[in-house]
Short mmCIF file of all heavy atoms in Angstrom, two decimals:
data_model
loop_
_atom_site.label_atom_id
_atom_site.label_comp_id
_atom_site.label_asym_id
_atom_site.label_seq_id
_atom_site.Cartn_x
_atom_site.Cartn_y
_atom_site.Cartn_z
N SER A 994 30.40 71.00 71.82
CA SER A 994 29.99 72.04 70.85
C SER A 994 29.59 73.32 71.49
O SER A 994 29.24 73.28 72.69
CB SER A 994 28.83 71.46 69.96
OG SER A 994 27.69 71.29 70.82
N LYS A 995 29.59 74.39 70.73
CA LYS A 995 29.23 75.72 71.19
C LYS A 995 27.74 75.69 71.73
O LYS A 995 27.46 76.30 72.74
CB LYS A 995 29.43 76.70 70.25
CG LYS A 995 30.86 77.05 69.91
CD LYS A 995 30.99 78.11 68.84
CE LYS A 995 32.43 78.43 68.58
NZ LYS A 995 32.52 79.54 67.50
N ARG A 996 26.85 74.97 71.08
CA ARG A 996 25.50 74.81 71.43
C ARG A 996 25.41 74.21 72.81
O ARG A 996 24.64 74.63 73.74
CB ARG A 996 24.73 74.06 70.40
CG ARG A 996 23.15 73.94 70.91
CD ARG A 996 22.43 73.19 69.68
NE ARG A 996 22.42 74.05 68.53
CZ ARG A 996 21.83 73.62 67.38
NH1 ARG A 996 21.21 72.47 67.40
NH2 ARG A 996 21.81 74.30 66.30
N THR A 997 26.18 73.07 73.11
CA THR A 997 26.08 72.38 74.36
C THR A 997 26.63 73.23 75.40
O THR A 997 26.10 73.32 76.51
CB THR A 997 26.90 71.08 74.21
OG1 THR A 997 26.44 70.28 73.15
CG2 THR A 997 26.90 70.29 75.51
N LEU A 998 27.80 73.95 75.15
CA LEU A 998 28.38 74.88 76.11
C LEU A 998 27.39 75.97 76.47
O LEU A 998 27.25 76.33 77.71
CB LEU A 998 29.63 75.46 75.51
CG LEU A 998 30.52 76.33 76.46
CD1 LEU A 998 30.95 75.46 77.64
CD2 LEU A 998 31.70 76.85 75.78
N ALA A 999 26.66 76.48 75.51
CA ALA A 999 25.69 77.53 75.81
C ALA A 999 24.52 77.07 76.62
O ALA A 999 24.10 77.70 77.60
CB ALA A 999 25.11 78.14 74.52
N VAL A 1000 24.14 75.79 76.40
CA VAL A 1000 23.15 75.11 77.25
C VAL A 1000 23.54 75.02 78.76
O VAL A 1000 22.87 75.23 79.71
CB VAL A 1000 22.74 73.83 76.73
CG1 VAL A 1000 21.88 73.07 77.64
CG2 VAL A 1000 21.95 73.96 75.42
N LEU A 1001 24.92 74.53 78.88
CA LEU A 1001 25.41 74.35 80.18
C LEU A 1001 25.57 75.76 80.91
O LEU A 1001 25.31 75.74 82.13
CB LEU A 1001 26.89 73.70 80.08
CG LEU A 1001 26.78 72.26 79.55
CD1 LEU A 1001 28.28 71.66 79.34
CD2 LEU A 1001 26.10 71.33 80.55
N VAL A 1002 26.00 76.74 80.20
CA VAL A 1002 26.14 78.06 80.80
C VAL A 1002 24.73 78.55 81.27
O VAL A 1002 24.46 79.11 82.34
CB VAL A 1002 26.77 79.11 79.88
CG1 VAL A 1002 26.73 80.47 80.42
CG2 VAL A 1002 28.21 78.74 79.61
N GLY A 1003 23.73 78.27 80.35
CA GLY A 1003 22.33 78.64 80.77
C GLY A 1003 21.88 77.94 81.95
O GLY A 1003 21.23 78.59 82.86
N LEU A 1004 22.11 76.69 82.04
CA LEU A 1004 21.62 75.90 83.09
C LEU A 1004 22.39 76.46 84.44
O LEU A 1004 21.72 76.51 85.54
CB LEU A 1004 21.92 74.41 83.00
CG LEU A 1004 21.13 73.61 81.98
CD1 LEU A 1004 21.64 72.25 81.80
CD2 LEU A 1004 19.71 73.62 82.43
N PHE A 1005 23.66 76.75 84.37
CA PHE A 1005 24.38 77.35 85.45
C PHE A 1005 23.66 78.63 85.93
O PHE A 1005 23.49 78.80 87.17
CB PHE A 1005 25.80 77.62 85.10
CG PHE A 1005 26.61 78.24 86.08
CD1 PHE A 1005 27.22 77.53 87.13
CD2 PHE A 1005 26.84 79.65 86.08
CE1 PHE A 1005 27.91 78.22 88.09
CE2 PHE A 1005 27.59 80.31 86.98
CZ PHE A 1005 28.22 79.57 88.07
N ILE A 1006 23.31 79.52 84.97
CA ILE A 1006 22.71 80.75 85.38
C ILE A 1006 21.40 80.62 86.00
O ILE A 1006 21.08 81.24 87.01
CB ILE A 1006 22.69 81.66 84.18
CG1 ILE A 1006 24.01 82.11 83.66
CG2 ILE A 1006 21.82 82.95 84.45
CD1 ILE A 1006 24.06 82.79 82.38
N VAL A 1007 20.55 79.62 85.37
CA VAL A 1007 19.29 79.39 85.90
C VAL A 1007 19.31 78.81 87.30
O VAL A 1007 18.63 79.20 88.23
CB VAL A 1007 18.41 78.42 84.93
CG1 VAL A 1007 17.14 77.99 85.67
CG2 VAL A 1007 18.17 79.07 83.67
N LEU A 1008 20.28 77.82 87.52
CA LEU A 1008 20.39 77.15 88.85
C LEU A 1008 20.69 78.19 89.87
O LEU A 1008 20.21 78.23 91.00
CB LEU A 1008 21.29 76.03 88.75
CG LEU A 1008 21.51 75.26 90.02
CD1 LEU A 1008 20.25 74.51 90.40
CD2 LEU A 1008 22.61 74.06 89.81
N CYS A 1009 21.77 78.96 89.57
CA CYS A 1009 22.23 80.00 90.50
C CYS A 1009 21.20 80.99 90.84
O CYS A 1009 20.97 81.31 91.95
CB CYS A 1009 23.47 80.72 89.97
SG CYS A 1009 24.97 79.77 89.95
N THR A 1010 20.50 81.47 89.82
CA THR A 1010 19.40 82.41 90.06
C THR A 1010 18.32 81.92 90.93
O THR A 1010 17.86 82.56 91.80
CB THR A 1010 18.76 82.98 88.75
OG1 THR A 1010 19.82 83.42 87.83
CG2 THR A 1010 17.65 83.93 88.85
N ALA A 1011 17.82 80.69 90.60
CA ALA A 1011 16.73 80.10 91.36
C ALA A 1011 17.18 79.80 92.82
O ALA A 1011 16.40 79.92 93.78
CB ALA A 1011 16.34 78.66 90.77
N GLY A 1012 18.38 79.39 93.02
CA GLY A 1012 18.97 79.18 94.38
C GLY A 1012 19.04 80.46 95.20
O GLY A 1012 18.69 80.57 96.35
N TYR A 1013 19.61 81.48 94.46
CA TYR A 1013 19.80 82.83 95.22
C TYR A 1013 18.39 83.41 95.61
O TYR A 1013 18.42 84.07 96.59
CB TYR A 1013 20.56 83.72 94.42
CG TYR A 1013 22.04 83.31 94.18
CD1 TYR A 1013 22.83 83.75 93.09
CD2 TYR A 1013 22.65 82.35 95.02
CE1 TYR A 1013 24.01 83.24 92.94
CE2 TYR A 1013 23.96 81.92 94.95
CZ TYR A 1013 24.67 82.40 93.77
OH TYR A 1013 25.91 81.95 93.59
N LEU A 1014 17.42 83.26 94.83
CA LEU A 1014 16.11 83.76 95.11
C LEU A 1014 15.42 83.17 96.37
O LEU A 1014 14.75 83.75 97.14
CB LEU A 1014 15.21 83.58 93.95
CG LEU A 1014 15.45 84.42 92.77
CD1 LEU A 1014 14.38 84.04 91.59
CD2 LEU A 1014 15.34 85.87 93.03
N LYS A 1015 15.89 81.85 96.68
CA LYS A 1015 15.42 81.13 97.86
C LYS A 1015 16.37 81.21 99.04
O LYS A 1015 16.10 80.59 100.08
CB LYS A 1015 15.10 79.75 97.51
CG LYS A 1015 13.94 79.55 96.44
CD LYS A 1015 13.63 78.07 96.28
CE LYS A 1015 12.52 77.92 95.39
NZ LYS A 1015 12.13 76.40 95.12
N LEU A 1016 17.51 81.93 98.88
CA LEU A 1016 18.53 81.94 99.85
C LEU A 1016 18.25 82.92 100.98
O LEU A 1016 18.26 84.09 100.62
CB LEU A 1016 19.93 82.21 99.20
CG LEU A 1016 21.21 81.94 100.06
CD1 LEU A 1016 21.29 80.43 100.40
CD2 LEU A 1016 22.34 82.37 99.20
N ASP A 1017 17.86 82.42 102.18
CA ASP A 1017 17.73 83.24 103.20
C ASP A 1017 18.88 83.34 104.20
O ASP A 1017 19.63 82.41 104.29
CB ASP A 1017 16.52 82.85 104.13
CG ASP A 1017 15.24 82.85 103.28
OD1 ASP A 1017 15.02 83.74 102.42
OD2 ASP A 1017 14.38 81.93 103.36
N LEU A 1018 19.04 84.52 104.76
CA LEU A 1018 20.20 84.69 105.78
C LEU A 1018 19.65 84.17 107.13
O LEU A 1018 18.64 84.68 107.62
CB LEU A 1018 20.54 86.16 105.81
CG LEU A 1018 21.76 86.43 106.70
CD1 LEU A 1018 22.97 85.77 106.15
CD2 LEU A 1018 21.94 87.93 106.76
N LYS A 1019 20.38 83.20 107.69
CA LYS A 1019 19.91 82.57 108.97
C LYS A 1019 20.98 82.83 109.96
O LYS A 1019 22.04 82.37 109.89
CB LYS A 1019 19.68 81.10 108.83
CG LYS A 1019 18.49 80.75 107.91
CD LYS A 1019 18.14 79.28 107.84
CE LYS A 1019 16.92 79.01 107.06
NZ LYS A 1019 16.69 77.48 107.00
N THR A 1020 20.64 83.73 110.95
CA THR A 1020 21.46 84.06 112.05
C THR A 1020 20.77 83.84 113.44
O THR A 1020 19.84 84.62 113.63
CB THR A 1020 22.01 85.53 111.91
OG1 THR A 1020 20.86 86.44 111.84
CG2 THR A 1020 22.74 85.78 110.60
N SER A 1021 21.20 82.88 114.07
CA SER A 1021 20.50 82.58 115.35
C SER A 1021 21.57 82.05 116.38
O SER A 1021 22.57 81.45 115.92
CB SER A 1021 19.39 81.55 115.03
OG SER A 1021 18.87 81.02 116.34
N LEU A 1022 21.10 82.10 117.52
CA LEU A 1022 21.92 81.55 118.71
C LEU A 1022 22.05 80.02 118.41
O LEU A 1022 23.10 79.37 118.73
CB LEU A 1022 21.29 81.79 119.99
CG LEU A 1022 21.98 81.16 121.27
CD1 LEU A 1022 23.39 81.76 121.37
CD2 LEU A 1022 21.18 81.42 122.54
N TYR A 1023 20.97 79.50 117.75
CA TYR A 1023 21.04 78.03 117.61
C TYR A 1023 21.98 77.63 116.53
O TYR A 1023 22.25 76.39 116.26
CB TYR A 1023 19.58 77.54 117.27
CG TYR A 1023 18.71 77.64 118.43
CD1 TYR A 1023 17.69 78.57 118.52
CD2 TYR A 1023 18.85 76.71 119.51
CE1 TYR A 1023 16.87 78.71 119.56
CE2 TYR A 1023 17.96 76.79 120.66
CZ TYR A 1023 17.06 77.82 120.59
OH TYR A 1023 16.25 78.02 121.71
N ASP A 1024 22.59 78.59 115.79
CA ASP A 1024 23.70 78.36 114.88
C ASP A 1024 24.93 77.89 115.58
O ASP A 1024 25.83 77.31 115.12
CB ASP A 1024 24.02 79.51 113.97
CG ASP A 1024 22.93 79.85 112.95
OD1 ASP A 1024 22.15 78.85 112.66
OD2 ASP A 1024 22.81 80.88 112.48
N LEU A 1025 25.04 78.27 116.84
CA LEU A 1025 26.14 77.91 117.67
C LEU A 1025 25.91 76.70 118.48
O LEU A 1025 26.84 75.79 118.57
CB LEU A 1025 26.38 79.04 118.81
CG LEU A 1025 26.92 80.37 118.20
CD1 LEU A 1025 26.94 81.38 119.34
CD2 LEU A 1025 28.20 80.24 117.54
N ASN A 1026 24.77 76.43 118.92
CA ASN A 1026 24.52 75.29 119.83
C ASN A 1026 23.09 74.86 119.79
O ASN A 1026 22.18 75.77 119.70
CB ASN A 1026 24.97 75.56 121.21
CG ASN A 1026 24.89 74.26 122.06
OD1 ASN A 1026 24.97 73.19 121.62
ND2 ASN A 1026 24.65 74.53 123.42
N ASN A 1027 22.69 73.70 119.83
CA ASN A 1027 21.41 73.14 119.84
C ASN A 1027 21.27 72.17 121.01
O ASN A 1027 21.57 70.94 120.87
CB ASN A 1027 21.01 72.51 118.53
CG ASN A 1027 19.62 72.24 118.49
OD1 ASN A 1027 18.78 72.76 119.30
ND2 ASN A 1027 19.09 71.40 117.53
N PRO A 1028 20.98 72.64 122.20
CA PRO A 1028 20.96 71.82 123.34
C PRO A 1028 19.95 70.66 123.19
O PRO A 1028 19.05 70.73 122.57
CB PRO A 1028 20.62 72.73 124.54
CG PRO A 1028 20.74 74.13 124.05
CD PRO A 1028 20.54 74.04 122.52
N PRO A 1029 20.25 69.51 124.02
CA PRO A 1029 19.20 68.38 124.00
C PRO A 1029 17.85 68.91 124.35
O PRO A 1029 17.70 69.74 125.33
CB PRO A 1029 19.83 67.44 125.04
CG PRO A 1029 21.26 67.78 125.17
CD PRO A 1029 21.35 69.34 124.84
N GLN A 1030 16.85 68.37 123.72
CA GLN A 1030 15.52 68.85 123.87
C GLN A 1030 15.02 68.46 125.35
O GLN A 1030 14.24 69.32 125.94
CB GLN A 1030 14.55 68.21 122.86
CG GLN A 1030 13.11 68.73 122.94
CD GLN A 1030 13.02 70.13 122.72
OE1 GLN A 1030 13.71 70.69 121.85
NE2 GLN A 1030 12.23 70.89 123.50
N ASP A 1031 15.51 67.40 125.87
CA ASP A 1031 15.00 67.04 127.24
C ASP A 1031 15.50 68.03 128.30
O ASP A 1031 14.77 68.33 129.24
CB ASP A 1031 15.42 65.57 127.70
CG ASP A 1031 16.90 65.41 127.51
OD1 ASP A 1031 17.53 66.15 126.84
OD2 ASP A 1031 17.45 64.44 128.12
N LEU A 1032 16.74 68.59 128.04
CA LEU A 1032 17.21 69.54 129.04
C LEU A 1032 16.52 70.91 128.89
O LEU A 1032 16.15 71.50 129.90
CB LEU A 1032 18.74 69.86 128.70
CG LEU A 1032 19.72 68.76 129.10
CD1 LEU A 1032 21.09 69.17 128.84
CD2 LEU A 1032 19.54 68.33 130.59
N LEU A 1033 16.12 71.20 127.68
CA LEU A 1033 15.30 72.42 127.53
C LEU A 1033 13.98 72.37 128.07
O LEU A 1033 13.47 73.18 128.72
CB LEU A 1033 15.15 72.75 126.01
CG LEU A 1033 16.44 73.21 125.22
CD1 LEU A 1033 16.17 73.30 123.75
CD2 LEU A 1033 16.95 74.48 125.74
N THR A 1034 13.33 71.04 127.96
CA THR A 1034 12.01 70.87 128.48
C THR A 1034 12.00 70.94 130.03
O THR A 1034 11.19 71.61 130.73
CB THR A 1034 11.54 69.44 128.08
OG1 THR A 1034 11.45 69.41 126.65
CG2 THR A 1034 10.16 69.27 128.66
N GLU A 1035 13.07 70.32 130.62
CA GLU A 1035 13.10 70.38 132.12
C GLU A 1035 13.47 71.73 132.67
O GLU A 1035 13.03 72.16 133.69
CB GLU A 1035 14.20 69.38 132.66
CG GLU A 1035 13.78 67.97 132.42
CD GLU A 1035 14.34 67.02 133.41
OE1 GLU A 1035 14.94 67.43 134.38
OE2 GLU A 1035 14.21 65.84 133.24
N ALA A 1036 14.30 72.55 131.89
CA ALA A 1036 14.65 73.91 132.29
C ALA A 1036 13.35 74.77 132.23
O ALA A 1036 13.11 75.63 133.16
CB ALA A 1036 15.63 74.46 131.36
N ALA A 1037 12.50 74.66 131.21
CA ALA A 1037 11.26 75.38 131.13
C ALA A 1037 10.36 75.02 132.24
O ALA A 1037 9.65 75.91 132.91
CB ALA A 1037 10.60 75.20 129.74
N ALA A 1038 10.29 73.75 132.60
CA ALA A 1038 9.27 73.26 133.64
C ALA A 1038 9.78 73.77 134.96
O ALA A 1038 8.98 74.23 135.87
CB ALA A 1038 9.35 71.74 133.69
N LEU A 1039 11.11 73.72 135.27
CA LEU A 1039 11.66 74.20 136.53
C LEU A 1039 11.49 75.69 136.65
O LEU A 1039 11.22 76.19 137.73
CB LEU A 1039 13.15 73.85 136.64
CG LEU A 1039 13.80 74.15 137.90
CD1 LEU A 1039 13.23 73.40 139.07
CD2 LEU A 1039 15.23 73.95 137.97
N SER A 1040 11.61 76.43 135.59
CA SER A 1040 11.39 77.91 135.65
C SER A 1040 10.01 78.31 136.07
O SER A 1040 9.77 79.20 136.79
CB SER A 1040 11.71 78.49 134.22
OG SER A 1040 11.54 79.88 134.18
N LYS A 1041 8.94 77.42 135.56
CA LYS A 1041 7.60 77.72 135.93
C LYS A 1041 7.37 77.35 137.36
O LYS A 1041 6.65 78.08 138.12
CB LYS A 1041 6.67 76.84 135.03
CG LYS A 1041 6.61 77.26 133.57
CD LYS A 1041 5.65 76.39 132.74
CE LYS A 1041 5.61 76.89 131.35
NZ LYS A 1041 4.68 76.01 130.57
#
């Protein structure tokens, strides 16, 4: 029915709006690679 369709369209708009308000742009070197934590720990210790 048109009423059901209107509800579905409304839900679509609400969901998209709520999601976009919380959507952050994440740009980091870790988007490319996330090295093992033990290697990072030892590298930091050796640097000191």
Side-chain angles (χ1 to χ4, degrees):
S994 65
K995 291 184 179 180
R996 179 178 296 179
T997 302
L998 186 60
V1000 171
L1001 292 175
V1002 172
L1004 286 175
F1005 174 81
I1006 295 174
V1007 169
L1008 183 61
C1009 288
T1010 303
Y1013 293 157
L1014 290 175
K1015 293 185 177 181
L1016 194 61
D1017 296 325
L1018 186 62
K1019 294 187 176 180
T1020 55
S1021 167
L1022 177 61
Y1023 293 104
D1024 288 336
L1025 293 176
N1026 184 31
N1027 191 12
Q1030 187 59 44
D1031 58 336
L1032 289 183
L1033 291 174
T1034 301
E1035 294 210 7
L1039 185 62
S1040 178
K1041 291 181 179 179

